[in-house]
Amino acid sequence: MRVVLCVLVVCLAATGCGLMRQSMDIDYNDQRLNDGLERVLATGSPAPLRDFTSWEWDEVHLFHEWTERTFIEETVGAPVIKSDIYESKASLLVFENNGEPVKAAGVSGDYLRSVDDRVSFTDDVLVQPWGGGFLQLTPPAG
């Protein structure tokens, strides 16, 4: 009984400290996504973000380095990162389908921005050149 109690206490302590905290695997090497974004940057031609993905999604969230975990979790509605702060220099895109996170993708270079500092977009979001080597996520006009 003592052993079971000790194991339970250790597990609870580890979970509380974040050691066993659930999170998503962040894909930093999605070639289709990265190539599509690079193409918009190189050609200057806007394109729907959905053209660069191969999975089902209906909403995407954009986060940057130093975004707090609590803000990410409140926005997504689920655990995404383990640490208290997103510390990667890569932009973080978290895709959802029917309210459930389906993929987290890191986009190296941190060149993605959003219109009006918006964080969440529907699946009709466009990727547009924004100047200075940046791309902007914007809802379609109209």
Side-chain angles (χ1 to χ4, degrees):
M1 185 64 159
R2 284 186 180 166
V3 172
V4 172
L5 186 57
C6 287
V7 169
L8 181 62
V9 168
V10 168
C11 287
L12 289 174
T15 303
C17 295
L19 297 176
M20 296 178 67
R21 181 172 176 67
Q22 284 189 323
S23 66
M24 295 181 73
D25 291 327
I26 300 173
D27 183 355
Y28 291 99
N29 297 307
D30 188 295
Q31 204 61 49
R32 181 175 176 176
L33 177 61
N34 286 316
D35 287 350
L37 294 173
E38 287 290 330
R39 190 168 42 255
V40 172
L41 199 57
T43 65
S45 298
L49 181 61
R50 73 174 162 263
D51 287 357
F52 311 139
T53 60
S54 59
W55 55 91
E56 292 291 319
W57 62 278
D58 57 16
E59 186 173 17
V60 64
H61 310 285
L62 172 63
F63 305 103
H64 298 286
E65 186 177 25
W66 308 119
T67 303
E68 293 183 1
R69 180 185 70 223
T70 53
F71 178 74
I72 294 171
E73 287 183 1
E74 287 171 5
T75 303
V76 175
V80 176
I81 61 172
K82 286 184 181 179
S83 62
D84 290 337
I85 294 188
Y86 180 65
E87 296 181 39
S88 175
K89 291 189 184 309
S91 297
L92 175 63
L93 293 171
V94 180
F95 295 87
E96 290 188 52
N97 195 36
N98 296 317
E100 295 294 323
V102 293
K103 181 165 179 129
V107 178
S108 63
D110 191 31
Y111 58 80
L112 285 175
R113 297 294 180 261
S114 61
V115 65
D116 301 328
D117 294 322
R118 184 183 302 203
V119 175
S120 301
F121 299 88
T122 56
D123 64 351
D124 57 354
V125 63
L126 297 175
V127 181
Q128 300 191 95
W130 195 43
F134 289 95
L135 295 176
Q136 185 178 55
L137 298 181
T138 59

